[in-house]
Amino acid sequence: MKFLYKLLFIKFVLISSLFAQVTGLSGWNIFLDPGHSQNENMGVYNLSEAKKNLRVAIYLRDLLLNTTDIDTVYLSRTNDQESVGLSQRSSLANQLNTQWYHSIHSDAGDPNSTNTLLLWGMYYNGTEKVPNGGMAMSDIMVKLLTDAMRCKTSGSIGDCHFYGACTQDWIGPYLHVNRETIMPSELSEAGYHTNPGQNQLNMNAEYKKLQAYSLYWSILDYHKIARPQVGICAGIISDLESGLAINGAVIKIGDKIYTTDTYESVFKNYSNDPTQLRNGFYFVESLPNDSVLVEVQADGYINSSTKVYIKNDFFTFKDIKLVSFTPPVVLSVIPAADSIYPGKDNIIIQFSRPMNTSSVESSLTMQPSGFISFVWSDGDKKLTIKTDSLKYNLNYSFTVSGNSTDKYDHPFDGNIDGIGGDDFSFSVTTKVQDSFPPVIIDVRPASTDMEIEAQPIISVSFNEPLSTAGLSGKIKIVKSSDQSTVAGVLKYFVVGEKSVLQFFPTSELLRGEAYEIIVSPNVSDVYGNEIQSESKFIFKPAWYFMGSTIIENFDGAFLTNWWQPQQSGTTSGILTSETNFNADKKIFNYVTKSTQSMCFNYGWDTSANEWIIREYLSGGTPKSVQFDSFGNFLQVYVFGDGNGNKVRFCVNDNVGGATSTYEVSKWYKVDWIGWKLIQWNLTQDSLGTWIGNGSLDGKLRFDSFQMTYTPGSTNTGTYYFDDLRIVKKAWTGVDDNELALPSKFLLKQNYPNPFNPTTIIRYQLPENSFITLKIFDVLGREVSTLVEGNKQAGSYSISFEANSLPSGIYIYQLKAEKFSDSKKMLLIR
């Protein structure tokens, strides 16, 4: 009933103009499909693709009905409340026996770019859909749409070719709107709604009209009908220095006035931040085919006027950059904490405008006086003052004179009163000279780690950066039994205020053999403070590969296999300008002889209510790798930044089954710096919570890395990912038979014992069981519950940390329905 009402409604309201100025479409009709419905495909700034598409379609409908003699224009939906499925749209068009089907969309992709795309119906053998016409229309439309949006294009492409999914068994076309319709058809993808600039432009009412005009002219060109006089001037008003679009700029052309969007007029619908959104777009119609004067004014800017000749057959684009008359000010001074190490920490002054550098340098003073050097960057807006000549434990005052000017000769405004000519002063205290040697804060592998791989990345982290002089001789790995030195590659990384030495063995170590990590004396910080004594740490490799399958090694041209995070509708709570990935050839995994890694930069919006990034594997050979859960480990090497945020794995479960879903691992807190191997034991590990059913039920395929923010942690940082793979393991030195299902319940003695403060407890279950694993003191009081819940049959290990407990004897107890056992362990402080 609802479907029939819609059909009748559309027939009733859409009739062609009786006084058309463009003739040649009489006897022809078109079905316009504004793709998606309601708020589907939300853009990066909360304008959905569906809402944008509808308004483009309405503008196009009105252009056709009001200016041509077309018979009828049909719409698949007419408001934001209707939800119309793909089958409904194609069925309606077929029932109406329309002569053309045009589907309106916007594309999604890398937020740093924006492209157009036209897709026409193609069969698996490369021929065009019958009836023909979609390809010819697309070839015309893609050029006009691209020229109108002033961006790049992916071109006019047959859908089977574009998606690469058609076969002789499934002949195509690929897209539903091309495959199921009985008339010529095509689908237009305008610029990315995942691109911040494009999404803000889409918010403008006339920008949607601009897209509609390009589609309108495409229809006329296809029918070889001359376009009516255009007479439209459009462009973007922006700040000359920052490049930012200007809100509320007033454009006057003759007697026509246009005001660019503002927070109050438009952007309040998409953001609570009055300063976040801007597009600066203007669009003035009904202009003569002649030279006109374009006048622009905006608060805080010098007025502009320029002559423009208006084209007759296309948009006349004129972007205008305005110069602010606001005097330059100091935005920030680093260090904010007012304390620096001379020679290490520089002083940074961030100005609001590009400065006349010589005027600043000649008038900047320092007390006590001394020689200082200057480095300018960020288009002469950032001044770095080198502190090599400053002395320890002194207070220095700096003054930027009001005689300084910016590059446009505006006087410097030191007290931010909007007038200029005032000094700006600040003080910096230099620290007492550092006399403490670097401290080792973390060593991996740890002696308590019972699952150390045979070729581990060995890490020694420090609380501060090190002097790089002679580092290659300051750390070595030796086999305990004969003190022979392990061959490998030593790399040094600085991460924030900390640093890490990482050793990459060139071959596998002996499983079950003890190895020593030896940090020699004389390792020093950048101030020459040396570690005075040798440090030694012991570990034992425990497993080796029985077999491995690479999913993605991140070498070569891997970028096209992955979506940028903004392309996934799951991603939320991010700073989009800070969040992206690329290939990196400087930081990668030497163990696997890699040549590059995925560098992933993240930025979290701390004011959001929830945070998740889905870094989705979209295609290529890695997407075809399938595996099961039994005996398999999903692994990836992650270079951490120590910020305390989290990452996890996601897999597509029950691939090829009747119902496919998604499951996730637990979260891994990134509290390490440098490279670390993280892994998901697909047989034994409990699952995280997302949109699956909480169990691994069939064939698996890697879906994505997921990341989240931990409130209180640093909200920006960088991870590196390398060598994503599936591994089957075997253990030695602990129990060579642990891959097989155990034949009996067993609780093993903890290791190490005695311990301080961490130990490993291992146990075996011959069948699926509800179990508890608890810790008690000698008086029988419960100290901790390590496990409580259902577990599958298998062998397990769990770490117990006794950081808050006093020295003494403790009892750990494993209980199941058919089993109970307990053992003692000794904590020694």
Side-chain angles (χ1 to χ4, degrees):
M1 188 67 179
K2 180 179 180 181
F3 189 75
L4 179 60
Y5 169 79
K6 180 174 180 60
L7 177 60
L8 294 173
F9 174 78
I10 292 175
K11 281 188 173 181
F12 177 76
V13 298
L14 300 183
I15 57 174
S16 61
S17 171
L18 298 176
F19 304 100
Q21 68 184 78
V22 176
T23 59
L25 290 180
S26 178
W28 191 78
N29 59 54
I30 188 170
F31 187 96
L32 300 181
D33 168 24
H36 305 285
S37 298
Q38 298 176 340
N39 280 317
E40 290 176 352
N41 281 20
M42 189 63 73
V44 66
Y45 287 128
N46 302 314
L47 170 64
S48 73
E49 177 190 356
K51 285 189 174 181
K52 188 273 297 184
N53 293 344
L54 176 59
R55 282 143 187 85
V56 172
I58 291 172
Y59 278 132
L60 177 55
R61 176 200 66 181
D62 292 347
L63 281 170
L64 289 167
L65 290 175
N66 295 328
T67 68
T68 79
D69 60 351
I70 193 170
D71 280 0
T72 313
V73 180
Y74 298 98
L75 280 183
S76 64
R77 62 186 175 94
T78 58
N79 59 61
D80 297 323
Q81 289 72 49
E82 293 173 289
S83 180
V84 187
L86 276 172
S87 296
Q88 285 181 292
R89 301 174 213 165
S90 57
S91 295
L92 178 58
N94 291 341
Q95 288 178 42
L96 293 170
N97 199 29
T98 50
Q99 294 169 271
W100 198 276
Y101 191 104
H102 173 60
S103 188
I104 300 172
H105 288 255
S106 61
D107 211 349
D110 184 345
N112 299 308
S113 64
T114 185
N115 275 21
T116 62
L117 170 67
L118 262 292
L119 293 170
W120 44 272
M122 174 191 279
Y123 301 126
Y124 81 98
N125 60 4
T127 59
E128 184 185 358
K129 165 196 172 178
V130 176
N132 293 166
M135 180 169 65
M137 178 74 85
S138 295
D139 290 347
I140 295 169
M141 192 174 287
V142 74
K143 183 180 188 310
L144 288 173
L145 182 60
T146 304
D147 289 347
M149 304 193 79
R150 297 192 289 171
C151 65
K152 297 178 181 178
T153 184
S154 300
S156 167
I157 307 173
D159 55 8
C160 274
H161 177 73
F162 182 80
Y163 290 100
C166 302
T167 66
Q168 193 164 359
D169 296 326
W170 193 73
I171 64 171
Y174 178 82
L175 290 172
H176 181 97
V177 295
N178 289 329
R179 184 178 66 252
E180 300 300 328
T181 51
I182 60 175
M183 66 290 298
S185 62
E186 33 65 39
L187 179 147
S188 63
E189 297 268 18
Y192 296 171
H193 55 268
T194 51
N195 174 275
Q198 186 66 64
N199 195 238
Q200 292 172 78
L201 280 169
N202 289 345
M203 295 172 187
N204 178 274
E206 281 70 36
Y207 192 81
K208 293 184 273 286
K209 184 181 290 188
L210 174 140
Q211 183 179 338
Y213 265 107
S214 70
L215 305 179
Y216 166 63
W217 294 330
S218 300
I219 293 169
L220 298 185
D221 287 3
Y222 177 81
H223 288 277
K224 297 181 171 53
I225 299 172
R227 303 176 200 172
Q229 180 174 318
V230 174
I232 298 174
C233 186
I236 294 175
I237 311 299
S238 61
D239 184 292
L240 174 66
E241 300 151 61
S242 68
L244 293 175
I246 297 174
N247 290 346
V250 178
I251 299 90
K252 182 180 179 184
I253 305 178
D255 60 352
K256 302 182 185 306
I257 295 176
Y258 189 100
T259 303
T260 62
D261 292 337
T262 64
Y263 179 75
E264 291 75 16
S265 67
V266 172
F267 301 131
K268 66 182 180 182
N269 299 316
Y270 307 103
S271 173
N272 293 324
D273 180 356
T275 66
Q276 183 182 36
L277 303 179
R278 56 188 70 235
N279 59 49
F281 183 75
Y282 75 95
F283 187 92
V284 180
E285 298 180 87
S286 302
L287 297 175
N289 179 212
D290 201 353
S291 180
V292 299
L293 183 67
V294 180
E295 300 174 90
V296 185
Q297 64 181 42
D299 289 345
Y301 289 89
I302 298 172
N303 293 347
S304 170
S305 63
T306 184
K307 285 275 190 177
V308 175
Y309 187 82
I310 303 300
K311 296 179 181 179
N312 186 47
D313 60 350
F314 198 68
F315 303 112
T316 302
F317 287 114
K318 182 61 180 179
D319 297 331
I320 298 173
K321 297 182 182 298
L322 301 184
V323 176
S324 170
F325 55 68
T326 304
V329 299
V330 170
L331 297 178
S332 63
V333 175
I334 297 175
D338 200 24
S339 186
I340 62 172
Y341 274 122
K344 176 195 172 189
D345 302 321
N346 294 319
I347 298 167
I348 298 174
I349 305 175
Q350 184 72 49
F351 294 94
S352 63
R353 309 279 297 280
M355 300 300 291
N356 179 323
T357 58
S358 59
S359 73
V360 176
E361 292 179 18
S362 63
S363 61
L364 190 149
T365 59
M366 176 183 75
Q367 293 294 332
S369 61
F371 172 78
I372 52 177
S373 59
F374 306 97
V375 176
W376 290 89
S377 59
D378 190 21
D380 292 339
K381 290 192 292 186
K382 178 188 288 187
L383 172 59
T384 300
I385 301 173
K386 299 289 187 179
T387 61
D388 306 67
S389 62
L390 303 189
K391 296 179 181 180
Y392 289 103
N393 199 25
L394 277 179
N395 180 268
Y396 288 88
S397 62
F398 296 84
T399 299
V400 179
S401 169
N403 294 324
S404 303
T405 61
D406 65 17
K407 66 185 295 184
Y408 304 103
D409 291 329
H410 297 130
F412 173 69
D413 184 7
N415 63 357
I416 317 182
D417 62 1
I419 299 174
D422 312 299
D423 295 348
F424 173 81
S425 298
F426 64 95
S427 298
V428 169
T429 301
T430 54
K431 292 182 179 180
V432 175
Q433 186 167 2
D434 181 5
S435 59
F436 298 98
V439 176
I440 297 173
I441 56 174
D442 185 36
V443 177
R444 290 182 278 112
S447 61
T448 55
D449 190 347
M450 300 296 287
E451 294 197 8
I452 301 170
E453 60 270 29
Q455 198 171 354
I457 297 176
I458 296 154
S459 300
V460 182
S461 301
F462 298 86
N463 68 331
E464 60 179 323
L466 306 178
S467 169
T468 56
L471 271 180
S472 60
K474 302 293 177 63
I475 181 173
K476 62 181 180 179
I477 314 301
V478 300
K479 187 167 64 172
S480 294
S481 59
D482 60 10
Q483 292 297 293
S484 58
T485 302
V486 174
V489 177
L490 182 66
K491 291 292 177 179
Y492 170 66
F493 304 102
V494 176
V495 183
E497 293 297 315
K498 301 174 183 178
S499 63
V500 61
L501 282 169
Q502 295 208 283
F503 184 85
F504 302 82
T506 54
S507 59
E508 287 191 353
L509 307 184
L510 297 175
R511 301 172 301 280
E513 178 75 40
Y515 287 85
E516 301 171 7
I517 307 169
I518 301 174
V519 182
S520 302
N522 305 324
V523 171
S524 67
D525 60 22
V526 294
Y527 310 108
N529 301 306
E530 296 182 342
I531 293 176
Q532 298 299 310
S533 59
E534 180 180 273
S535 298
K536 186 181 296 185
F537 308 91
I538 299 175
F539 69 92
K540 288 184 179 182
W543 65 263
Y544 62 96
F545 294 128
M546 288 183 65
S548 66
T549 301
I550 292 294
I551 299 174
E552 174 71 271
N553 60 13
F554 298 103
D555 292 336
F558 74 87
L559 295 176
T560 56
N561 296 337
W562 299 78
W563 278 4
Q564 285 289 343
Q566 292 85 348
Q567 291 178 249
S568 172
T570 301
T571 295
S572 65
I574 66 169
L575 302 173
T576 192
S577 61
E578 303 288 331
T579 306
N580 56 74
F581 76 85
N582 51 67
D584 190 277
K585 294 181 179 296
K586 294 181 179 179
I587 297 179
F588 50 81
N589 179 18
Y590 287 85
V591 162
T592 59
K593 298 179 175 59
S594 182
T595 60
Q596 62 182 20
S597 66
M598 175 195 281
C599 172
F600 191 94
N601 303 300
Y602 64 85
W604 297 109
D605 179 0
T606 57
S607 65
N609 295 320
E610 56 182 23
W611 304 272
I612 191 168
I613 291 172
R614 180 177 177 232
E615 182 47 52
Y616 174 63
L617 175 62
S618 60
T621 302
K623 191 68 175 178
S624 66
V625 177
Q626 295 186 19
F627 47 93
D628 55 38
S629 61
F630 182 72
N632 279 324
F633 293 74
L634 181 57
Q635 299 181 334
V636 70
Y637 289 88
V638 179
F639 188 104
D641 57 14
N643 276 346
N645 296 305
K646 298 174 183 177
V647 300
R648 69 182 178 188
F649 300 101
C650 176
V651 294
N652 185 196
D653 185 22
N654 203 23
V655 175
T659 55
S660 177
T661 186
Y662 298 88
E663 300 292 348
V664 292
S665 69
K666 66 179 183 181
W667 288 110
Y668 303 85
K669 182 179 180 181
V670 185
D671 54 6
W672 68 89
I673 59 174
W675 287 109
K676 179 181 179 181
L677 180 66
I678 64 172
Q679 63 180 1
W680 180 7
N681 185 331
L682 295 168
T683 305
Q684 297 183 356
D685 288 350
S686 58
L687 275 60
T689 302
W690 195 38
I691 58 177
N693 60 9
S695 66
L696 299 175
D697 302 313
K699 279 291 183 182
L700 307 175
R701 182 171 59 198
F702 184 84
D703 175 79
S704 59
F705 297 118
Q706 296 186 358
M707 288 153 262
T708 193
Y709 171 63
T710 301
S713 298
T714 303
N715 71 317
T716 59
T718 301
Y719 303 136
Y720 298 82
F721 296 90
D722 210 350
D723 298 302
L724 174 64
R725 66 196 185 192
I726 288 293
V727 167
K728 285 190 181 292
K729 297 181 182 181
W731 278 264
T732 60
V734 180
D735 187 343
D736 288 332
N737 297 315
E738 287 195 350
L739 274 184
L741 288 177
S743 59
K744 62 180 180 179
F745 286 99
L746 181 62
L747 178 65
K748 297 186 177 183
Q749 188 62 51
N750 65 302
Y751 175 85
N753 189 41
F755 67 99
N756 178 26
T758 304
T759 189
I760 300 293
I761 298 172
R762 302 175 68 84
Y763 61 94
Q764 295 180 354
L765 308 176
E767 59 190 48
N768 297 352
S769 306
F770 182 90
I771 67 164
T772 59
L773 179 59
K774 297 185 177 184
I775 311 295
F776 301 89
D777 63 18
V778 291
L779 297 178
R781 295 174 297 196
E782 183 179 323
V783 170
S784 177
T785 298
L786 300 183
V787 181
E788 185 171 23
N790 291 305
K791 287 285 185 182
Q792 295 181 351
S795 300
Y796 294 86
S797 63
I798 189 168
S799 174
F800 171 58
E801 295 186 1
N803 292 314
S804 60
L805 298 178
S807 298
I809 296 174
Y810 292 87
I811 298 160
Y812 58 101
Q813 181 187 64
L814 176 68
K815 293 187 73 174
E817 182 180 356
K818 303 176 182 179
F819 176 81
S820 179
D821 192 14
S822 59
K823 294 186 182 298
K824 294 180 181 179
M825 56 185 174
L826 177 61
L827 171 62
I828 298 179
R829 293 294 189 183

